[in-house]
Amino acid sequence: MEKEQNLNKMAFKDYYDTLSDDAKETVRNRILGESGMSYTTFYYKLRNNTFKPLERKLIDNIINDVNPKVLC
């Protein structure tokens, strides 16, 4: 059951790769600013998909907040 729920979620890296360069910068800067994470740590965690649950929750909130602005 839990495995099925995980398959329905898009990996953050896949979503991030679909964004334009400007949108990537906006999302990345918000994540870095709100989490206190360093630039290199962000890309390490993105590459290896090793975000902790609270970081993932923050990322989800940022995506939901930024997404309408990205689509405009």
Side-chain angles (χ1 to χ4, degrees), residues 3-21:
K3 189 174 184 179
E4 291 173 5
Q5 292 173 345
N6 289 339
L7 293 176
N8 291 334
K9 284 189 171 183
M10 176 185 263
F12 175 62
K13 182 179 182 344
D14 295 335
Y15 169 78
Y16 189 79
D17 288 341
T18 64
L19 297 174
S20 68
D21 289 341

Side-chain angles (χ1 to χ4, degrees), residues 13-52:
K13 182 179 182 344
D14 295 335
Y15 169 78
Y16 189 79
D17 288 341
T18 64
L19 297 174
S20 68
D21 289 341
D22 291 337
K24 284 180 183 179
E25 183 178 356
T26 301
V27 170
R28 182 188 66 230
N29 289 340
R30 287 271 312 267
I31 293 169
L32 297 181
E34 294 183 28
S35 70
M37 191 182 306
S38 73
Y39 184 87
T40 54
T41 299
F42 170 76
Y43 278 107
Y44 175 83
K45 289 183 175 203
L46 179 68
R47 184 173 52 250
N48 296 306
N49 195 27
T50 56
F51 291 103
K52 297 199 181 216

